[in-house]
Amino acid sequence: MRFIRYDLFFFIWLALFSIFIFFYGIRKRKKILLEFASNKSLSLITNGFSGQKLKGLCSLVGFLFLAIAMLGPQYGYKWAEVIKKGSDIIIAVDYSKSMLANDIAPSRIERAKQEIIDIISIANGDRIGLIGFAGTAFVFCPLTPDYQSLKIIMNEISHDFFPIQGSNIAEGIKCAVSAFNLKDISKKSIILISDGESTVGEAIKSASEASDLGIKIFCIGIGKNDGIPVPDENGGFKKNKAGEVVLTKLNENLLKDIAEETDGFYVPSVLSTIDVELIYSHEIAKSMDNKSLGVHKEKVLEDRYQWFLSISLFFFCVEIFLSNKKSLLTAVCLFFIFVSDYSYAESIESIFKHGITAYEKKQYEKAADFFINTLLKDPLKLEVYYNLGNAYYKAGKFESALENYSIAIKSENKNLQKKSYYNRGNANYRLLNYEKALEDYKSALFIDSKDKNIIDNIEFVLKKIELKKKQHKKIENALGEESNEKGDTSSKKDVDGKMGENDSKNKQHKSSDSLDGLEQSEKILDRLKDKPVLSNHLSKKINVDKDW
């Protein structure tokens, strides 16, 4: 037995304290009466345990069981089939001595840590793990959705954790592969952060083995192409056996070969989040919906508040039976106050209507909570997923909106299907997934070929796709120029200047026969005003999407 509303536990103590006071009062009263009559005479006068005392006891016991029901007791479980969605990402970080070089301020390893923070900041619902490697490799954090713990672990790792020094990228890749659950069919990716210097091992062979398992490797290069001394523990620079200062530089060729072997790609590290956005938004997240679904069964705890509520109702009925009309009215009023405020017997339709009301008042976060509570009571209504998607969309949580629209699409109702495809296209558009948005709009058009809004959106997104291709080429060119510059500060200014110039040109570029992005975005939200009514029949089962 467990409870889900511990914040209401003070009602239990209140009920127990009231029962204690009740019996204490009876004992105190009897003690006072015994001063005026013997125990035998007193029993004849009061006729034992009076009806008034019985009524009071029934009220208190009824209140006690009502308080227990309010805590939301759960006992036993049932198996529910769910769908899990998300990507598995292992971040492999190079902790070799060469990563102490400061050709990128403050050092290569500090820049690597910033890259990890950038990845965490844009990840959404994915499980992320962390491994470190030097001459050998270790799993420091297994796959987890707890990003805060991941940051804490990352900050505690140092070069001292590795008994064998060197740079064995091959071992790092093998360790990263071993951190995945290969039986799980979710999308798996490795983000390798390194300067590319590998003194031992066959990195390309390890990458090929990872590719055979369907794992992509994306490489982020840390460092510059010019050689720089490696600091040592004594404050000087590391030297080889001949007494010469050891120089380290970025080996882009190896990192590119590793990425290409697994159908991934290489990007140099930059101060902004452009590098990780290219990896995550354009590759990992882009293919997640199509390749990361897996069905499994999960235990769902059963609510048992009905047991205690029934017992409470029984005692209240006994108390009412023994009471006069005035007591009856008081008991009924108190009972309905508690039930309306705290009881978990509230109907699905009532909760759903609260969500609709909150949505109409533009309280989107509150509306989402009501819709979620509706699904917790009955995760079978596709209309609720559609409305939950709308609430998330209006709240700016486009990824969550997209997931719920994807469930609502399974409906046999063609009108709901069309609106779900349409709104999922809107969500993909806001996430800059223009190709997916185009597919969704085409699916909606297939259902209703006369909808002018859908046709307008298709034309608009086609133009966006063309513009995106041009911008992507400019970004790649800017990144290439930045990585070849000798000065870190000057190179950043060059990239920022060129990208700023490109941005200004793109902002000035408008087609004479199309709306700008903001106007079109607002236009395609019109259909979000539609809210289907929850039906009364809850019979058809569906699978439920679940984040990690």
Side-chain angles (χ1 to χ4, degrees):
M1 181 73 71
R2 64 182 292 267
F3 301 96
I4 59 176
R5 292 293 299 274
Y6 285 101
D7 56 316
L8 300 178
F9 212 89
F10 66 91
F11 281 109
I12 298 292
W13 299 116
L14 179 60
L16 293 175
F17 180 72
S18 299
I19 292 174
F20 170 77
I21 293 296
F22 176 78
F23 283 105
Y24 175 79
I26 291 175
R27 184 176 179 182
K28 186 71 174 176
R29 180 174 179 271
K30 184 177 180 180
K31 185 178 180 180
I32 294 173
L33 291 174
L34 285 174
E35 294 179 0
F36 300 95
S38 65
N39 193 28
K40 185 176 181 180
S41 300
L42 193 61
S43 62
L44 293 174
I45 297 172
T46 59
N47 196 24
F49 199 81
S50 67
Q52 195 67 25
K53 296 175 184 177
L54 182 59
K55 287 194 304 178
L57 182 61
C58 287
S59 296
L60 292 174
V61 174
F63 177 71
L64 174 62
F65 281 98
L66 178 61
I68 297 174
M70 288 159 51
L71 294 178
Q74 292 180 328
Y75 179 75
Y77 62 87
K78 62 181 178 181
W79 289 98
E81 190 177 75
V82 298
I83 297 176
K84 58 183 179 180
K85 178 182 293 185
S87 297
D88 285 344
I89 303 172
I90 293 294
I91 302 175
V93 184
D94 188 348
Y95 279 89
S96 60
K97 292 291 186 180
S98 61
M99 292 293 287
L100 295 173
N102 57 5
D103 52 347
I104 292 183
S107 68
R108 293 180 181 180
I109 191 61
E110 292 301 321
R111 174 67 71 85
K113 290 181 179 180
Q114 184 58 50
E115 294 289 351
I116 297 174
I117 294 173
D118 291 343
I119 294 169
I120 293 174
S121 67
I122 64 174
N124 178 51
D126 304 296
R127 296 191 302 178
I128 300 179
L130 177 64
I131 73 120
F133 67 90
T136 185
F138 300 100
V139 177
F140 289 101
C141 181
L143 290 167
T144 178
D146 186 354
Y147 300 159
Q148 191 62 36
S149 298
L150 182 63
K151 289 181 181 180
I152 294 173
I153 293 172
M154 174 196 71
N155 290 326
E156 295 298 323
I157 304 174
S158 68
H159 296 80
D160 299 332
F161 282 72
F162 300 88
I164 302 176
Q165 286 301 317
S167 183
N168 193 339
I169 295 180
E171 186 64 25
I173 295 174
K174 290 179 181 178
C175 183
V177 171
S178 68
F180 290 112
N181 180 4
L182 299 179
K183 295 181 180 179
D184 198 327
I185 64 172
S186 60
K187 183 176 177 61
K188 301 173 181 63
S189 305
I190 298 173
I191 298 180
L192 177 65
I193 304 176
S194 172
D195 55 18
E197 289 195 338
S198 184
T199 56
V200 292
E202 298 181 17
I204 303 300
K205 182 179 178 181
S206 296
S208 178
E209 293 172 353
S211 180
D212 293 340
L213 296 172
I215 301 173
K216 286 188 177 183
I217 301 177
F218 302 94
C219 298
I220 299 178
I222 304 289
K224 295 186 177 181
N225 295 322
D226 298 330
I228 187 172
V230 179
D232 61 15
E233 295 82 358
N234 301 322
F237 296 104
K238 188 177 179 181
K239 298 180 180 180
N240 58 21
K241 295 181 179 179
E244 300 172 340
V245 175
V246 176
L247 299 180
T248 177
K249 63 180 180 179
L250 175 63
N251 185 358
E252 288 187 315
N253 293 331
L254 177 60
L255 296 177
K256 288 179 180 178
D257 291 342
I258 291 173
E260 290 175 1
E261 188 70 27
T262 63
D263 198 25
F265 61 81
Y266 162 82
V267 292
S269 174
V270 295
L271 287 175
S272 65
T273 61
I274 294 177
D275 46 4
V276 295
E277 285 177 355
L278 286 172
I279 293 173
Y280 185 84
S281 300
H282 294 278
E283 289 297 326
I284 297 176
K286 184 174 72 172
S287 55
M288 182 179 67
D289 290 338
N290 296 328
K291 298 183 180 180
S292 65
L293 301 180
V295 180
H296 75 291
K297 288 188 175 182
E298 184 178 84
K299 288 182 180 180
V300 178
L301 294 175
E302 294 272 21
D303 290 324
R304 300 300 183 187
Y305 67 88
Q306 304 93 332
W307 297 353
F308 301 95
L309 191 59
S310 299
I311 297 173
S312 173
L313 185 61
F314 169 77
F315 279 103
F316 278 125
C317 289
V318 172
E319 194 274 338
I320 291 171
F321 180 76
L322 296 173
S323 301
N324 53 33
K325 291 183 178 180
K326 186 177 180 180
S327 298
L328 172 62
L329 180 61
T330 302
V332 170
C333 291
L334 289 174
F335 176 76
F336 279 104
I337 288 174
F338 281 118
V339 170
S340 62
D341 287 345
Y342 302 108
S343 175
Y344 281 80
E346 188 176 17
S347 67
I348 298 176
E349 289 80 3
S350 177
I351 300 175
F352 181 81
K353 289 177 181 177
H354 287 319
I356 294 296
T357 302
Y359 184 91
E360 291 173 344
K361 293 180 179 179
K362 298 183 179 181
Q363 298 172 348
Y364 302 120
E365 295 283 356
K366 189 175 180 180
D369 290 338
F370 280 119
F371 292 142
I372 290 172
N373 288 335
T374 304
L375 292 174
L376 288 175
K377 289 180 176 292
D378 187 356
L380 311 176
K381 298 307 298 176
L382 296 174
E383 296 93 338
V384 183
Y385 287 100
Y386 173 79
N387 284 274
L388 180 57
N390 289 349
Y392 278 135
Y393 190 105
K394 288 291 191 177
K397 299 180 179 180
F398 304 120
E399 295 88 351
S400 299
L402 191 147
E403 293 175 2
N404 285 280
Y405 290 142
S406 298
I407 301 175
I409 285 171
K410 301 174 185 177
S411 172
E412 296 179 358
N413 185 317
K414 292 297 181 181
N415 186 42
L416 182 59
Q417 275 188 24
K418 181 185 75 169
K419 291 188 290 187
S420 299
Y421 274 120
Y422 188 100
N423 290 353
R424 193 172 74 170
N426 295 346
N428 275 315
Y429 171 81
R430 286 299 182 95
L431 292 170
L432 307 182
N433 298 328
Y434 301 135
E435 292 82 0
K436 287 187 177 182
L438 182 62
E439 294 175 5
D440 288 331
Y441 291 141
K442 287 181 178 179
S443 298
L445 188 64
F446 180 78
I447 298 174
D448 184 0
S449 59
K450 297 181 180 179
D451 193 315
K452 188 176 183 302
N453 282 335
I454 302 175
I455 297 172
D456 291 342
N457 291 348
I458 290 175
E459 293 176 355
F460 179 78
V461 172
L462 284 172
K463 294 175 183 178
K464 279 287 186 179
I465 291 174
E466 291 299 322
L467 181 61
K468 176 185 172 184
K469 291 179 180 178
K470 294 178 182 178
Q471 291 176 334
H472 188 70
K473 289 182 180 179
K474 291 179 181 180
I475 290 174
E476 290 181 342
N477 293 336
L479 287 174
E481 293 177 8
E482 195 271 351
S483 64
N484 291 325
E485 289 290 335
K486 294 183 179 181
D488 186 55
T489 304
S490 62
S491 65
K492 180 179 182 300
K493 291 181 179 178
D494 290 343
V495 173
D496 290 342
K498 291 180 180 179
M499 291 183 66
E501 182 181 350
N502 292 336
D503 289 341
S504 63
K505 290 181 180 179
N506 290 333
K507 289 178 180 178
Q508 296 173 359
H509 177 71
K510 288 186 179 180
S511 176
S512 59
D513 59 348
S514 67
L515 300 170
D516 65 12
L518 179 59
E519 292 174 347
Q520 183 70 9
S521 297
E522 295 303 323
K523 179 181 177 182
I524 65 180
L525 300 185
D526 290 342
R527 198 173 298 269
L528 287 172
K529 297 176 182 177
D530 296 337
K531 297 180 291 294
V533 179
L534 181 64
S535 62
N536 294 324
H537 302 288
L538 309 174
S539 58
K540 186 177 178 181
K541 287 191 175 182
I542 61 166
N543 292 333
V544 183
D545 276 350
K546 177 191 174 189
D547 287 333
W548 288 112

